Amino acid sequence: MDSQSKKHMETIASANKEMLDYFNKTFLSNLETIQDLKTQAFEIDIKIDELKKTRDLYAFKSTSRKSVFTPTISDDFDNERSKIIDAQVADLENAKEAVSSKILSLEASLTSLKKRLAVLNQAEESIKALSLEEEKREEELIEQEGFEFVEEPQEEDIGSHGYNILMQDAFDKALLSTLIDRNIKSGITSVNHKLEVLSYLLNTDISRAKLTVQEVQNNLENILISVDDIDNRLDYNLESSKPIVAQIDDFIANQRDLHPEYVIESTIASTDDELNLHPVFSINLIKLLDIFFGNIYAHSNANKIEFRLTINPNIIETTIQDNGIGIRDNYLAQSPWYSGLHKSQEIIFLLGGKLDIKGDVINGTEIKFSFPIEAK
């Protein structure tokens, strides 16, 4: 390739990279906006629920009077207050409809952006492939002419990996924030409202008070479930101080308990069963296993998993095989950038390891990865 052709190729590669960065940033910005709008819609729902329950309290009438001198409540006054609340509820429902419309519009925009990103990613891979082919041709020509060709190792674009990691971290934080707002904050708000109603019902209607107590208990149980879910996402229960073999045994036992519909066969080979790894290796190993096992449960349609782990003094090697429907060769292009498969790729890159995923309908999917380790 002459200098002019190289210049053209560099211009195309630079333009494609610039467009890819732009659409990635736009995608992330839209995703954050959607999360904010969903939070707004959630808060509107809470306000609507509170207003409706307040209106129901006004509508609740007790026919009991302590004596003939007990004053009666004016129906007209209560009706007027109910009308005011109805108007407020209508305004909030209109606001929620507007927010929902924006969310739908932005989600449609995300779908369009995904298609553009897929095309740009494919273009970037094609540009890299063409560049590599041209380099090979130049190497062959130099060797034919009798010159010794000294190959310089190509450095991966660490900047792009760092950008991907930052985006995935931002997505994880946005997801956790949404779960806290939607499941925990809403549950606590609902419990607080029910307790206020309960304090009123204890003096007026014991049967309704008992039902409200049951509702409070159900809400608290749901909050605890949500807390456990968020704890798991944050690896709260991971005991990185234990020997790595024990940690893996605990992980597999937990997977069997959570997914009894799967036959999970496990083989662990280690030169030292009491080996303690630095937490950066043990935590990320468990995280990778969690990603790959979760992907099998969600997408493979399998019912059997064979897991093999070999721990050598300086390296960990892992194989996970299922009997499902396989995986496409272009699985990364088909998966959103925030998917578990993309995260696993970035984690293994940071650990200086290797990842290979392949599969078909006949053999299922085979996942192999390895990375160097150090003892604690």
Side-chain angles (χ1 to χ4, degrees):
M1 184 184 292
D2 57 30
S3 60
Q4 189 66 23
S5 297
K6 285 183 178 179
K7 187 175 180 180
H8 290 325
M9 179 63 75
E10 289 172 359
T11 301
I12 294 171
S14 176
N16 189 78
K17 183 69 167 61
E18 186 175 344
M19 291 176 66
L20 188 59
D21 289 344
Y22 169 77
F23 282 115
N24 270 327
K25 290 176 181 177
T26 304
F27 186 96
L28 183 59
S29 176
N30 285 358
L31 185 65
E32 291 174 347
T33 303
I34 287 175
Q35 296 297 337
D36 290 340
L37 289 172
K38 286 184 176 179
T39 300
Q40 291 179 28
F42 166 73
E43 291 173 349
I44 290 172
D45 277 336
I46 291 176
K47 291 178 182 177
I48 291 174
D49 186 57
E50 289 176 348
L51 285 171
K52 286 182 176 179
K53 288 177 178 178
T54 302
R55 180 189 59 193
D56 293 342
L57 284 178
Y58 290 146
F60 177 73
K61 300 293 184 180
S62 175
T63 57
S64 63
R65 296 176 64 188
K66 295 180 180 179
S67 71
V68 294
F69 301 105
T70 303
T72 58
I73 300 174
S74 171
D75 288 342
D76 292 337
F77 181 68
D78 283 340
N79 288 338
E80 186 63 29
R81 286 194 292 190
S82 294
K83 288 178 182 178
I84 293 172
I85 292 174
D86 286 338
Q88 292 174 340
V89 169
D91 290 341
L92 287 172
E93 287 177 341
N94 288 335
K96 181 186 174 183
E97 185 176 351
V99 171
S100 299
S101 177
K102 289 180 183 178
I103 291 173
L104 290 175
S105 176
L106 285 171
E107 286 178 340
S109 176
L110 285 185
T111 301
S112 177
L113 284 171
K114 284 180 185 178
K115 294 179 181 179
R116 287 180 170 84
L117 285 170
V119 172
L120 289 170
N121 279 316
Q122 289 175 357
E124 188 172 23
E125 293 299 323
S126 298
I127 291 169
K128 289 179 180 178
L130 287 172
S131 298
L132 288 173
E133 288 178 6
E134 188 57 33
E135 287 176 4
K136 288 180 181 179
R137 281 197 210 95
E138 290 178 356
E139 290 174 15
E140 291 172 358
L141 287 174
I142 291 173
E143 289 175 356
Q144 289 173 4
E145 292 173 5
F147 293 98
E148 182 181 358
F149 180 76
V150 179
E151 181 179 1
E152 295 183 1
Q154 290 188 346
E155 294 184 2
E156 277 202 76
D157 185 2
I158 296 177
S160 66
H161 284 281
Y163 181 71
N164 290 339
I165 292 163
L166 288 174
M167 286 200 307
Q168 290 165 358
D169 183 61
F171 176 83
D172 287 341
K173 288 179 179 177
L175 176 60
L176 288 172
S177 176
T178 301
L179 291 174
I180 291 170
D181 273 343
R182 187 184 65 193
N183 297 342
I184 297 179
K185 184 179 177 180
S186 67
I188 293 173
T189 302
S190 179
V191 168
N192 185 56
H193 182 79
K194 285 183 172 65
L195 289 174
E196 291 176 356
V197 175
L198 181 61
S199 65
Y200 170 78
L201 293 175
L202 285 173
N203 296 320
T204 58
D205 192 331
I206 294 300
S207 60
R208 285 186 62 184
K210 290 179 179 179
L211 291 175
T212 304
V213 169
Q214 184 61 50
E215 290 174 359
V216 169
Q217 291 175 338
N218 292 338
N219 276 66
L220 291 174
E221 288 176 2
N222 290 332
I223 291 172
L224 288 175
I225 292 171
S226 298
V227 169
D228 287 340
D229 175 56
I230 293 172
D231 282 346
N232 289 332
R233 292 174 185 272
L234 293 171
D235 298 326
Y236 178 78
N237 296 318
L238 184 62
E239 298 181 35
S240 59
S241 61
K242 295 174 64 174
I244 186 61
V245 172
Q247 290 186 53
I248 298 300
D249 284 338
D250 289 345
F251 174 84
I252 295 298
N254 187 48
Q255 296 302 308
R256 287 170 176 155
D257 290 340
L258 293 174
H259 300 276
E261 70 277 15
Y262 281 81
V263 176
I264 302 178
E265 297 179 355
S266 173
T267 303
I268 302 174
S270 175
T271 55
D272 180 6
D273 288 347
E274 299 301 318
L275 178 66
N276 282 293
L277 298 182
H278 190 284
V280 71
F281 300 115
S282 58
I283 289 173
N284 281 290
L285 174 58
I286 298 296
K287 190 173 185 65
L288 287 168
L289 295 180
D290 191 55
I291 289 173
F292 292 132
F293 273 74
N295 206 61
I296 291 172
Y297 301 142
H299 306 292
S300 71
N301 290 335
N303 58 18
K304 182 179 179 181
I305 301 173
E306 295 180 15
F307 170 70
R308 296 187 298 278
L309 177 71
T310 302
I311 306 173
N312 293 314
N314 298 315
I315 192 170
I316 278 183
E317 297 175 323
T318 303
T319 301
I320 306 170
Q321 175 80 51
D322 68 47
N323 63 344
I325 59 176
I327 191 169
R328 295 181 180 179
D329 292 336
N330 61 341
Y331 63 88
L332 283 177
Q334 296 292 322
S335 303
W337 60 267
Y338 51 84
S339 70
L341 291 176
H342 280 84
K343 290 177 185 176
S344 66
Q345 185 185 44
E346 300 302 337
I347 291 170
I348 291 172
F349 170 80
L350 289 176
L351 293 173
K354 297 179 181 179
L355 171 65
D356 180 39
I357 303 178
K358 60 184 178 181
D360 53 52
V361 177
I362 298 175
N363 299 309
T365 300
E366 182 184 63
I367 303 166
K368 289 185 175 181
F369 68 88
S370 61
F371 55 82
I373 58 171
E374 294 179 7
K376 191 172 180 180

